[in-house]
Amino acid sequence: MLLAGCQSPSPQPFFQLAPEAAAHKAAQTRHFETKDADELLSASAAVLQDLGFHVEESVPELGFLRAAKERSAVQNGQLTARGFLMVLSLGRVLMPVDLQQQIVATLVARPTGTTGTRHEVRVLFHRVVWKGDGVVDRNYIAPGEQRMEMVRDPLVYQLFFAKLAKAVFLEAFTL
Amino acid sequence: MSRCALFPMSMVLALAAACATPKPRVDLLSPSEAQTKLRAIQSRTFELPDRLTALRGVMAVLQDLGFVIERANEALGLVTGARFAEPNYFDVVAITVTVRPQDDGKFLVRVNAIYNNKPIDTPEVYQNFFAALERSLFVERG
C-alpha cells in the first residue's frame, strides 16, 4: 500500500469519458417544459435549502449553483466492527472509522432544443468523507484520511427532482 | 541587556543571515519556450454562435468527467473545477477553462490543468479533454 501511495498516477484517465458517463448523465438530468430559467434556478436553490444545503456559489447567467452541507458520517456498523477488532486484537488495533462527511451539489440549468420552451436541470451529488484517528500496534494513525465518492444512488436524484417538480408546479421528465 | 542573553541572540542573528531568502530570478514571470509550447496544446478554436453556448458546453463536459465546478463567470468566460485523483485521495486535479472571442468570430478555449501543484504538460490529456468537449458541444447543437 505504501508503494502504491508513492507512485502518483497519471492524470490521463480523468479527462477521458468513461463508458458509463452517458448513463450517469441520464440519471442526473430532468427536463421541464418552461420558458423561465431563473424561476427554475431559484426553485432549485429553494429545494437544496429544504434538503439542508447552504448555497455557496450562484451564477444566474449560466444557471449554475453549488451548495454543500456537512453531516456526521458515523455508522453503527463501523463502530461495532471497530469494537470487535479491538477486543480480538487485545487492544492493539483501533481502526479509524468514518467521522464526518461533506455532501456537495453542483447544479446546472440550461435551455434545450431550439424553441426555448424547454429547460434541463442537471445535478451532481458527491460526498467527501473524513475518517477519525486510530492506533495500530502503538503507531498512531492521524485523523483526516479522506475519500470522495459520487452519489450514484438513483433514489437521491429522484427525491431531488420530485421536490423540484413540486416547487415549480411542473412535471419533470427524462428523455 | 544581560550577558546571558547576548550569546543566544548573536547565534539567532547569524542563523537568520544564513537563512536569508534568495532574490527571485529576473525571468521568473517571463514566458519560456516550454510555456509557449504548453499554450499551444492547451488552446483550441471552436466555431460557436456565442460565448454562452461555449460555457454551457464546458460546464457539461466538466460534469461528465466528474469534476466539481467551483467557480463559473459568464462575463469573464471562466470556469474552474477540481476533483480527487481517485482512487488516490491525496492528489487533486484542478482545471481552469477560459473562453475568449477572437477577431474572426470564433472562440478560443484555453485549458489549464494542474495535478497537485504542477501544471500538466502531456498533450494527450488536453486532446482527450477537447475530444470530450467537442462531443458535448455536438450533442448540444443537435
Side-chain angles (χ1 to χ4, degrees), chain B residues 3 15 19 22-23 30-31 43 49 56-57 64 70 91 121 128 140 142:
Chain B
R3 288 215 351 234
L15 273 174
C19 297
K23 279 200 160 56
S30 38
S43 316
R56 287 199 171 121
D64 281 340
E70 290 185 324
D91 297 326
D121 53 12
N128 289 337
E140 222 184 300

Side-chain angles (χ1 to χ4, degrees), chain B residues 120-140:
Chain B
I120 300 176
D121 53 12
T122 34
E124 291 80 35
V125 164
Y126 295 100
Q127 281 163 19
N128 289 337
F129 178 81
F130 284 120
L133 178 58
E134 266 171 37
R135 255 175 77 172
S136 157
L137 288 168
F138 178 72
V139 165
E140 222 184 300

Side-chain angles (χ1 to χ4, degrees), chain A residues 9 11-12 14-17 25 57 59 61-62 64 66 106 108 110-111 122 126 146-148 150, chain B residues 52 56 59-60 63-70 72 83-86 89 95 115 120 124-125 128 140:
Chain A
Q12 217 138 309
F14 307 111
F15 293 90
Q16 275 172 318
L17 285 173
K25 181 171 179 164
E57 189 84 29
V59 183
E61 303 85 23
L62 293 170
F64 171 60
R66 181 167 56 88
T106 317
V108 177
R110 64 190 214 173
R122 180 174 185 182
H126 81 275
Q146 60 194 356
R147 71 176 188 281
M148 174 184 120
M150 291 296 231
Chain B
L52 201 56
R56 287 199 171 121
M59 293 206 299
Q63 284 188 310
D64 281 340
L65 292 170
F67 278 82
V68 177
I69 303 174
E70 290 185 324
R83 63 166 296 165
F84 281 107
E86 296 163 46
Y89 294 96
I95 187 171
Y115 191 80
I120 300 176
E124 291 80 35
V125 164
N128 289 337
E140 222 184 300

Side-chain angles (χ1 to χ4, degrees), chain A residues 55-129:
Chain A
V55 179
E56 290 186 332
E57 189 84 29
S58 67
V59 183
E61 303 85 23
L62 293 170
F64 171 60
L65 282 177
R66 181 167 56 88
K69 71 173 173 181
E70 269 202 39
R71 290 286 181 273
S72 159
V74 174
Q75 295 170 53
N76 283 332
Q78 282 192 352
L79 288 178
T80 320
R82 180 159 93 145
F84 269 126
L85 202 56
M86 188 173 83
V87 166
L88 287 172
S89 64
L90 304 171
R92 277 208 294 273
V93 173
L94 195 66
M95 111 192 150
V97 290
D98 291 349
L99 208 64
Q100 190 77 347
Q101 64 180 327
Q102 188 190 51
I103 308 170
V104 180
T106 317
L107 185 145
V108 177
R110 64 190 214 173
T112 52
T114 42
T115 50
T117 50
R118 185 187 288 192
H119 283 78
E120 76 165 25
V121 174
R122 180 174 185 182
V123 67
L124 238 73
F125 289 105
H126 81 275
R127 54 184 218 135
V128 185
V129 184

Side-chain angles (χ1 to χ4, degrees), chain B residues 20-38:
Chain B
T21 46
K23 279 200 160 56
R25 294 197 324 268
V26 177
D27 60 349
L28 190 66
L29 292 175
S30 38
S32 61
E33 212 183 283
Q35 191 69 22
T36 332
K37 249 199 294 193
L38 195 60

Side-chain angles (χ1 to χ4, degrees), chain A residues 101-171:
Chain A
Q101 64 180 327
Q102 188 190 51
I103 308 170
V104 180
T106 317
L107 185 145
V108 177
R110 64 190 214 173
T112 52
T114 42
T115 50
T117 50
R118 185 187 288 192
H119 283 78
E120 76 165 25
V121 174
R122 180 174 185 182
V123 67
L124 238 73
F125 289 105
H126 81 275
R127 54 184 218 135
V128 185
V129 184
W130 288 274
K131 284 189 177 322
D133 58 358
V135 176
V136 172
D137 267 347
R138 303 274 176 99
N139 297 325
Y140 180 66
I141 306 172
E145 186 196 315
Q146 60 194 356
R147 71 176 188 281
M148 174 184 120
E149 55 195 32
M150 291 296 231
V151 174
R152 297 276 182 226
D153 184 3
L155 258 129
V156 174
Y157 294 93
Q158 282 163 21
L159 173 71
F160 174 81
F161 285 117
K163 280 179 140 326
L164 181 56
K166 245 170 83 167
V168 290
F169 304 107
L170 291 167
E171 203 185 300

